[in-house]
Amino acid sequence: MLPKIKNISCHKIVNSRGDWTLRTRVLLDDGSIGIQTIPEGASKGKNEAFYLPVQESINKVTTIINDALVGEDPFNQGQIDRMLVEIDGTPNKRHLGGNSILSVSLAVSQAAAASRKVPLYKYLAELFGNKKESFTFPTPVFNILNGGKHANNGLSFQEFMVMPAGRVPFDEALEMGVTVYHNIENVLKKNGYDTEVGDEGGYAPEGLTPHTALDFMKEAVSSDFKLGDQVFFGIDAAADSFKRIITYSIDEEALHLSSAGLADYYSDLVNNYPIIYLEDPFQESDHKGWARFFEMQGRNLMIVGDDLVVTNPRILEKIIPKKLNNAVIVKPNQVGTLTETFEFIRIAKEAGMMVNVSHRSGDTAEDTFIADLAVAVSADFIKSGAPARGERVAKYNRLLEIFLHEKDKFEE
Ligand code: PGA
Ligand code: ZN
């Protein structure tokens, strides 16, 4: 007889920002256990699933959700997620909370994988319908300088990232990220900047501008690698955080730009630095700005929707015909269930969009789900902050473990 869900319990733990979050445990009647903790963003999209206060969330998980799911089949992920969505009954999961729902949805998949005695990424690949014998690995995107809502340093853009070129084996890509991270620390010190870090582990000194940040990155990469050949740059502008009523304000360069002016500003950066990736370049509601920029630069770089699409399949379907972006961020907690996350990824891939699976700025070292998810769906990229700080490296280290495991098997 196949095991059923026996009990769902939940308590609060502290995340990387010192905020409380959920730790949910799903127990099957064969003794298998799945545990899932939940990340939280600071620069959230307006259409994300609702984040219920933690104590309320614990109450929902241990009463309503537990009562509904006990006795259910943990291998029928679609049915579990449908039940959660139906019991919630609101468009943005306000009743049960996106955080409560996601913790159960993911913990059920972990318990099912444990019961089958297969690694999580293999179980997720099967659920997703990825039947490949050998798994492809996402290219890691390392956030080495922090600004925006992740630091209090006056730097408008949220994330400055280095990207090892694709086709580099994962272990080498990680090595490259680590080297550049140490190099940029030295470059900052040499130039008299502090080396405190932001929420995602990247350095966050005061006094940087987008141009000085990119210049320091150039120096940090060039001493060990070929810039624009082995290593490229990416930016998550998270434009909502520097949008004022009318203008986009890059105060550190005394710029107050219209949407068209900001598009020109980005084009200038793209012409002067090896930038291949630009995330949330405009506010999520500024579709005109997105469309204009996509027309200008859509063939030259990845224009990535995060707040724009919030991992929501229904929103993505509406965005695709507007031609605003050619890549998406995937954050399961933006939408709230594994099934909807899979659906979003499927729609993005069918539309020819690149997929970047992402952590959140408030995260936990206990949670490495996105590493297994990225491998399972053959995501193009994974974004988990700097190659430093426990909650950031936990994901990279889990990928390394999967990579070495798969490689050994390959060599057998
Ligand atoms: P958040 O930021 O996790 O604080 O929302 C991450 C991002 O914008 O990519
Ligand atoms: Zn983002």
Side-chain angles (χ1 to χ4, degrees):
M1 247 210 355
L2 279 172
K4 302 276 189 270
I5 294 174
K6 187 177 180 188
N7 174 258
I8 305 177
S9 56
C10 183
H11 68 92
K12 63 179 183 176
I13 60 165
V14 188
N15 76 8
S16 61
R17 252 199 300 259
D19 293 325
W20 292 106
T21 188
L22 301 181
R23 179 183 187 272
T24 293
R25 176 179 178 271
V26 169
L27 172 69
L28 307 188
D29 53 20
D30 68 353
S32 305
I33 288 170
I35 291 171
Q36 186 63 42
T37 63
I38 292 299
E40 185 182 10
S43 73
K44 298 182 191 175
K46 286 179 193 65
N47 294 312
E48 290 194 21
F50 189 75
Y51 194 94
L52 203 65
V54 170
Q55 195 51 53
E56 278 180 60
S57 196
I58 293 169
N59 295 342
K60 300 273 165 119
V61 171
T62 52
T63 58
I64 304 176
I65 296 179
N66 176 69
D67 295 351
L69 294 191
V70 166
E72 290 297 320
D73 173 6
F75 300 100
N76 194 343
Q77 187 73 41
Q79 169 70 6
I80 297 287
D81 290 342
R82 250 189 317 277
M83 287 178 74
L84 289 166
V85 167
E86 273 168 24
I87 299 164
D88 175 79
T90 68
N92 66 347
K93 303 187 172 68
R94 174 173 283 273
H95 174 49
L96 296 178
N99 45 344
S100 333
I101 292 175
L102 186 71
S103 74
V104 173
S105 176
L106 302 189
V108 165
S109 73
Q110 300 223 46
S115 175
R116 284 257 182 93
K117 298 187 170 50
V118 293
L120 182 61
Y121 65 96
K122 287 195 178 162
Y123 181 68
L124 295 179
E126 191 188 310
L127 283 183
F128 184 67
N130 196 352
K131 294 210 177 59
K132 278 188 203 151
E133 273 304 296
S134 67
F135 294 95
T136 62
F137 275 76
T139 299
V141 181
F142 301 105
N143 178 8
I144 60 169
L145 293 174
N146 291 185
K149 289 187 182 150
H150 296 166
N152 191 22
N153 61 349
L155 182 60
S156 297
F157 299 167
Q158 182 175 282
E159 300 166 26
F160 290 80
M161 297 173 277
V162 286
M163 310 169 69
R167 285 188 288 276
V168 181
F170 182 78
D171 52 350
E172 280 176 42
L174 185 53
E175 191 86 52
M176 289 164 105
V178 166
T179 302
V180 173
Y181 185 70
H182 289 304
N183 287 353
I184 199 146
E185 180 182 5
N186 292 330
V187 172
L188 290 170
K189 280 183 184 160
K190 193 180 78 188
N191 287 281
Y193 287 80
D194 285 335
T195 52
E196 72 248 37
V197 297
D199 286 357
E200 297 190 348
Y203 295 105
E206 273 183 51
L208 288 177
T209 68
H211 285 88
T212 54
L214 290 164
D215 287 337
F216 290 158
M217 284 167 66
K218 253 185 167 173
E219 196 181 332
V221 171
S222 304
S223 53
D224 282 276
F225 304 105
K226 284 199 203 110
L227 190 64
D229 181 33
Q230 287 178 292
V231 179
F232 295 87
F233 292 168
I235 291 176
D236 181 1
D240 188 55
S241 57
F242 58 95
K243 176 81 186 344
R244 307 281 183 265
I245 295 167
I246 303 175
T247 61
Y248 290 96
S249 289
I250 304 173
D251 290 328
E252 65 275 31
E253 293 182 350
L255 294 172
H256 304 281
L257 304 168
S258 65
S259 195
L262 184 62
D264 291 339
Y265 180 87
Y266 289 135
S267 290
D268 189 59
L269 288 185
V270 170
N271 291 335
N272 286 293
Y273 300 94
I275 296 168
I276 58 168
Y277 175 109
L278 189 48
E279 182 178 330
D280 281 348
F282 300 89
Q283 199 177 35
E284 63 201 67
S285 54
D286 183 6
H287 286 188
K288 256 174 123 173
W290 279 87
R292 182 193 295 108
F293 188 63
F294 188 76
E295 178 77 29
M296 285 163 70
Q297 295 287 355
R299 279 170 298 278
N300 304 329
L301 78 157
M302 276 180 264
I303 300 175
V304 191
D306 174 11
D307 292 352
L308 179 74
V309 285
V310 290
T311 318
N312 186 314
R314 302 289 82 78
I315 295 178
L316 182 58
E317 279 169 342
K318 284 189 203 135
I319 292 289
I320 289 169
K322 296 188 175 183
K323 295 193 172 30
L324 308 183
N325 62 315
N326 52 21
V328 289
I329 287 289
V330 171
K331 293 169 173 165
N333 83 325
Q334 286 180 322
V335 67
T337 64
L338 182 56
T339 302
E340 287 163 290
T341 304
F342 281 157
E343 193 188 353
F344 177 87
I345 296 169
R346 254 181 233 115
I347 294 170
K349 286 186 172 220
E350 273 162 25
M353 291 183 178
M354 295 276 211
V355 170
N356 186 1
V357 175
S358 169
H359 65 157
R360 300 303 304 246
S361 54
D363 216 302
T364 54
E366 291 82 350
D367 180 13
T368 55
F369 194 93
I370 60 163
D372 288 74
L373 176 65
V375 175
V377 303
S378 294
D380 303 285
F381 299 94
I382 188 161
K383 182 182 165 192
S384 181
R389 321 286 287 189
E391 75 285 2
R392 309 299 146 194
V393 298
K395 283 72 162 169
Y396 295 133
N397 289 339
R398 170 63 182 153
L399 277 167
L400 189 58
E401 183 187 8
I402 301 172
F403 175 80
L404 294 173
H405 180 80
E406 287 293 314
K407 200 171 110 203
D408 287 350
K409 198 190 68 190
F410 189 69
E411 282 170 354
E412 266 167 18

